[in-house]
Amino acid sequence: MYDVELADRIRAVVHGEPRLAGNAMAVSASSQGGLRLHVDPAGAESLISEPYVRCFQMRGRKMDGLLRVDAGVIGGEDDLRGRVRHGVMNARSLRPR
């Protein structure tokens, strides 16, 4: 279920930081709940080891470089800001499409 409160928190955090960097989405509230975070696929395994962080799947297919973070583990604004910053840095590192 789409989390309107989380989406509002993301908008507040990204004030001054784009959710889009280049043509890549950095971070968003997932339509299935929680946070959808774009990361470097090479470093995704270390992030997946965190509790309640897993690979994002779309129609049963694992999406490399996309993680789902359960909303319940996203702490205060500093935690959310760190996750958003991680997604923005990754998105900026990608080649434009």
Side-chain angles (χ1 to χ4, degrees):
M1 175 186 327
Y2 184 75
D3 187 336
V4 175
E5 182 180 330
L6 179 59
D8 289 341
R9 288 179 62 201
I10 292 169
R11 283 187 206 97
V13 167
V14 297
H15 177 23
E17 287 244 29
R19 287 185 311 149
L20 284 171
N23 287 332
M25 178 65 74
V27 63
S28 64
S30 171
S31 63
Q32 297 174 355
L35 184 74
R36 185 172 66 177
L37 182 66
H38 288 246
V39 299
D40 180 356
E45 287 301 317
S46 66
L47 297 170
I48 292 170
S49 67
E50 292 182 35
Y52 307 103
V53 177
R54 60 192 179 282
C55 290
F56 187 87
Q57 291 192 1
M58 188 176 294
R59 297 185 190 128
R61 188 174 137 223
K62 178 181 164 185
M63 305 299 290
D64 290 333
L66 277 175
L67 299 180
R68 179 184 309 283
V69 181
D70 289 346
V73 300
I74 299 169
E77 295 312 303
D78 288 341
D79 181 44
L80 181 59
R81 188 172 283 111
R83 293 178 193 273
V84 168
R85 194 172 300 126
H86 190 100
V88 168
M89 287 173 42
N90 177 66
R92 286 182 177 158
S93 73
L94 300 174
R95 286 186 285 173
R97 296 180 200 194

